[in-house]
């Protein structure tokens, strides 16, 4: 795998500078947002469990559920596999999310192997697990694996950020935004950080947990 990995703020700044010279609208967005965050996370089971917890709930609700899971020591694959439904429900997990969490624990993903897999392979592997869609897999590749050239066009905040920045008549759908993002290669993950930051400035809303 020879994909560029984002490991520091300097990498993000390099990508942002490249985007700013490629498109003046990115330069204007960068002026509005200031330096972009690194947002690197650990990789592994916990990150994907956290993503499942975050699905279709507010950031505050997701944080509350996650804190209860951590307090109950229910964030590891074996603990989740052995936990009863009642124990997980007591932490705020819905029946559907419990099903997804257990499917993830039972999948026994080789997370170390994913570090050397191509982004396409990462997405293909993760989306085989019930409850993990393309968006979650792309976010994992972006932040947990640090891939510089991955984008998550299914993200509503990215769609809205692109609509505002590029003055589009409507919010671009996933397919259209994926196509747009091809112009931002090899720094699509930095373009995503910039669009989230710009969305936050323009809408005063948090785009992603």
């Amino acid at each position: 795998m020879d994909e560029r990995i984002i490991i520091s703020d300097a990498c993000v700044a390099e990508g942002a500078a490249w985007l700013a010279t490629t498109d003046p609208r990115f330069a204007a967005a960068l002026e509005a947002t200031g330096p972009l965050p690194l947002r690197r996370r650990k990789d592994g089971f916990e990150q994907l469990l956290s993503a499942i917890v975050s699905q279709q709930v507010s950031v505050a609700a997701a944080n509350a559920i996650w804190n209860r899971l951590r307090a109950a020591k229910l964030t590891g694959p074996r603990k989740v596999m052995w936990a009863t439904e009642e124990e997980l429900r007591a932490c705020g997990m819905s029946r559907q999310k419990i099903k997804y969490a257990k499917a993830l624990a039972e999948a026994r993903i080789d997370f170390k192997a994913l570090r050397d897999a191509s982004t396409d392979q990462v997405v293909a592997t993760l989306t085989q697990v019930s409850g993990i869609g393309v968006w979650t897999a792309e976010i994992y590749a972006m932040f947990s694996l640090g891939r510089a050239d991955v984008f998550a066009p299914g993200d509503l905040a990215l769609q809205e950020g692109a609509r505002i920045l590029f003055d589009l008549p409507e919010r671009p759908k996933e397919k259209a935004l994926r196509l747009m993002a091809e112009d931002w290669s090899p720094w699509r993950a930095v373009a995503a950080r910039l669009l989230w930051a710009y969305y936050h400035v323009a809408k005063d809303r948090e785009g992603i947990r």
Side-chain angles (χ1 to χ4, degrees):
M1 188 209 75
D2 57 358
E3 293 179 49
R4 177 74 185 263
I5 304 295
I6 290 173
I7 53 170
S8 67
D9 287 320
C11 300
V12 177
E14 183 189 337
W18 184 89
L19 290 165
T21 57
T22 306
D23 193 313
R25 285 166 295 198
F26 276 134
L30 202 55
E31 230 169 82
T33 64
L36 302 173
L38 177 59
R39 293 183 104 152
R40 274 304 303 264
R41 301 171 182 165
K42 289 180 180 173
D43 63 341
F45 178 85
E46 272 199 25
Q47 287 300 329
L48 286 171
L49 180 62
S50 173
I52 287 169
V53 165
S54 298
Q55 287 172 4
Q56 295 176 316
V57 294
S58 68
V59 171
N63 285 338
I65 296 166
W66 186 250
N67 289 338
R68 287 198 287 270
L69 285 169
R70 288 184 82 164
K73 294 188 166 55
L74 290 174
T75 58
R78 287 181 192 168
K79 293 286 180 74
V80 169
M81 211 184 285
W82 295 336
T84 64
E85 187 166 320
E86 288 70 31
E87 285 172 321
L88 291 166
R89 280 185 76 81
C91 295
M93 296 275 279
S94 66
R95 271 205 177 82
Q96 187 80 304
K97 287 187 182 180
I98 290 168
K99 193 177 134 192
Y100 293 159
K102 287 190 172 286
L104 176 62
E106 285 156 16
R108 298 181 189 277
I109 293 166
D110 184 346
F111 289 104
K112 281 187 180 169
L114 289 185
R115 293 173 190 173
D116 297 316
S118 71
T119 295
D120 286 346
Q121 287 172 315
V122 171
V123 172
T125 300
L126 297 183
T127 53
Q128 282 174 11
V129 181
S130 180
I132 296 185
V134 173
W135 177 85
T136 300
E138 286 172 335
I139 293 294
Y140 182 86
M142 197 184 296
F143 295 134
S144 292
L145 298 177
R147 302 296 166 84
D149 201 27
V150 64
F151 197 74
D155 189 274
L156 292 180
L158 287 182
Q159 292 173 7
E160 185 63 8
R163 183 191 70 77
I164 301 163
L165 182 59
F166 293 94
D167 197 23
L168 303 173
E170 58 184 18
R171 189 188 290 164
K173 301 275 196 303
E174 183 173 351
K175 197 175 172 184
L177 187 54
R178 193 178 293 280
L179 204 61
M180 267 180 83
E182 285 179 8
D183 289 342
W184 311 329
S185 180
W187 290 107
R188 282 179 278 194
V190 178
R193 284 168 172 80
L194 182 46
L195 286 172
W196 272 313
Y198 186 70
Y199 171 88
H200 185 62
V201 167
K203 290 274 197 171
D204 195 28
R205 282 188 201 158
E206 194 59 60
I208 186 172
R209 177 169 172 250

